[in-house]
Amino acid sequence: MASELRQRNVASKKKSSAQLRGPDASSSPKPSAPDRVKQRDRCYRLANLALTVLAFATRFYIINHPDQVVFDEVHFGKFASYYLERTYYFDLHPPFAKMLIAFVGYLVNYNGAFKFDSIGDSYIDNNVPYIAYRSLSAVLGSITVPIVFKTLQESGYSVWACSLGASLVLFDNAHIAETRLILLDATLIVSVALSLLCYVKFSKQRKNPFSFKWWAWLLATGVSLSCVISTKYVGTFTFMTIGSAVCIDLWNLLDYRAGLTMKRFLQHFFARAFSLIVLPLGIFLFWFWVHFAILTQSGPGDSFMSPEFQETLGDNILTRDARQVNYYDTITLKNKHANALLHSHEARYPLRYDDGRISSQGQQVTGYGTPDVNNDWQILPEVEFPEDDRVGHPVFGGNKIRLRHVKTNTMLLTHDVASPTYPTNQEFTTVSMELAEGERYNDTLFEIAMKKNARDIIKTKAGQFRLVHSNINLWTPGKRLPEWGFGQFEINGNKNVQDPANWWFIDEITDLTDPERLNYVPKEPKKLPFLTKYLELQAIMFAQNNALTSSHPYASEPITWPFLVRGVSFWTNNENRSQIYFVGNFVGWWLEISLIAVIVGVMAADQLTQRRNVQALNRTARSKLYNSLGFLLVGWACHYFPFFLMGRQKFLHHYLPAHLIAAVLAGGIFDFIFGEFDDGPVAARRSGRPYRNTKIIVAFSVIMVLLVSCYVYYAPLTYGDPGLTVEQVNARELMNIELHFAK
């Protein structure tokens, strides 16, 4: 009883004391678990909203400057104009993003008259809606930031990690420069980001297979992938990223322990195959169909295409100027590859070449780029027609012909003598008519081997063919001859049937006077099946892409990209010494590659320690390490390492998709390093208890100060304003960056 009274007394004193002190924070009711979840979600929303506002601010800041054509706006602005005029053009990239730019021009009623011919051309003087064009890129670049944030949030990372990953894109000078101009990269990057987000959202529905949300996010992933591949072919790397995760997912589902029947597994397989392969391919082909449907008029892209393709275009030169070629016509022949006319003149090959070889000293046969009487050749039959019957005999594919050089009255010939600069190839020359009709007759015969429709009538401007003598093809490498050859193109013969420089066509008939043959009869454009046109265009696009091997002053190698060894000059203005130079945020890029090195080291160390049964990581951390961070690491590698295998020109902007994924990866690694996957924070989140990680807040603050400072420091080079003094320019020349006005 005494004990009971003492307890009541103590309780009474505590109550009185509490009443005197008033309400205390510790005595206030703690928020419930649902309330804490709402508070946490509110933090995510507010952080994402703030970063999105900043993204729009950084992308739209002085977007009207400069009011001149900048860098590759010369290409993609031009292509938009061609769409608006429905004029056929050729480009290495798929049409989706370019049609988006053209659609903006259509919305503002622009007619496409300006052709963006040169960097520095004035938009104001030519009444170009360039701000509308640039705004498309700026919007897409801006919404990339919240997509990155949301990807990290959906992957289960802290608000600090989400904010860091998004900020690495938000304050990156390279992303800003590339996504506020009339370029394709804003569309490419936002499509890559959407592909990652949609696949993450789909993965979270794995416990609800074939539900509405499961299908919705799977199909959304496929649509996003189609946008990537329909913008640039490097979108293949995004397919590799998602495809690797899908293969692992299917492999796990195939395990009998997953409890799926084979029928159910096949349903999973075909759902993914349709959504991630068939659907994107269908959308990809659709944009090419639209591309062909819009570009119906003849334009600068005609020359890349076959004559059959060109004849599908309205007002094409083939429909206007194609003329039937008859025997005894005087013609000019043009090489499709070098765009050079077959030419000869009285000058002869030198007795000895530089390497000591002896030539035939025959009359030179070369390629010439401009009209000249020495380009004229008369086309003769294998066997002469009677004198009174030499009019109106058409030349067919498969015929054997002879070519008489009109100016020197000599006959084209090839023989077993090495060519001037290709000892493995045969020399082409001409011989007198006396020898051509006698002992050298067989050496003057050439078969017309058509590229298509082997027995068609030969026409000017159309019908590409090889001129073949005993398996030797008339060929030009596009290489200039030395001084003795007057710098003209070398012509010789090779045995490689597949060489694209073997193809020739008859450019014109120079002695045509027959009114009936000269009369132009308007023709309806021909029709070709969509797949025929598509496959031809694809072959030419890949061939031209592989041919981009020449040097460029701002080209760089992939090994240098993560370290920002060098950038690209976009635009300069001599009047106020301002310039736009494409370079990233050094703090962000070096931080990303450092964190990638850390996580690779952690993975290697974890594998080694597990071999000795040392469990250095808890279950949650290991799951995040291999499933989430591992997926992002594969994505970064898929978008980066394939460039080492490419022989074409490469530039820093090719790294931007990999940089985007590196930013997401860096945000996740940030959580890993600062203990967000340790038992304490994880247990706190599961129980709904509040948890404050002081280390991560301090680290985030330090990184943000450095990141923003570097962004501001390089902002004059990103926006092209204000101009910098010589000292200020020199202070920004880190690594191998070569800025203008440094002296």
Side-chain angles (χ1 to χ4, degrees), residues 96 100 187-188 190-199 202 214-231 235 238-239 242 271-287:
F96 173 63
L100 280 182
T187 307
L188 175 71
V190 75
S191 300
V192 173
L194 278 171
S195 299
L196 294 178
L197 174 61
C198 292
Y199 188 74
F202 164 72
W214 187 91
W215 273 111
W217 288 115
L218 180 60
L219 292 171
T221 304
V223 172
S224 300
L225 286 171
S226 76
C227 293
V228 183
I229 196 70
S230 299
T231 299
T238 313
F239 273 88
I242 303 297
R272 288 163 172 79
F274 170 78
S275 302
L276 304 180
I277 299 176
V278 177
L279 177 64
L281 177 62
I283 297 174
F284 171 75
L285 292 175
F286 169 75
W287 293 123

Side-chain angles (χ1 to χ4, degrees), residues 252-262 264:
N252 292 333
L253 290 174
L254 187 60
D255 192 331
Y256 75 96
R257 288 170 293 185
L260 295 183
T261 64
M262 279 305 298
R264 196 62 167 171

Side-chain angles (χ1 to χ4, degrees), residues 521-538:
V521 179
K523 305 172 188 176
E524 283 292 321
K526 292 183 178 180
K527 303 291 184 183
L528 275 181
F530 164 71
L531 281 179
T532 301
K533 296 166 73 173
Y534 167 77
L535 292 174
E536 177 181 331
L537 179 58
Q538 293 303 297

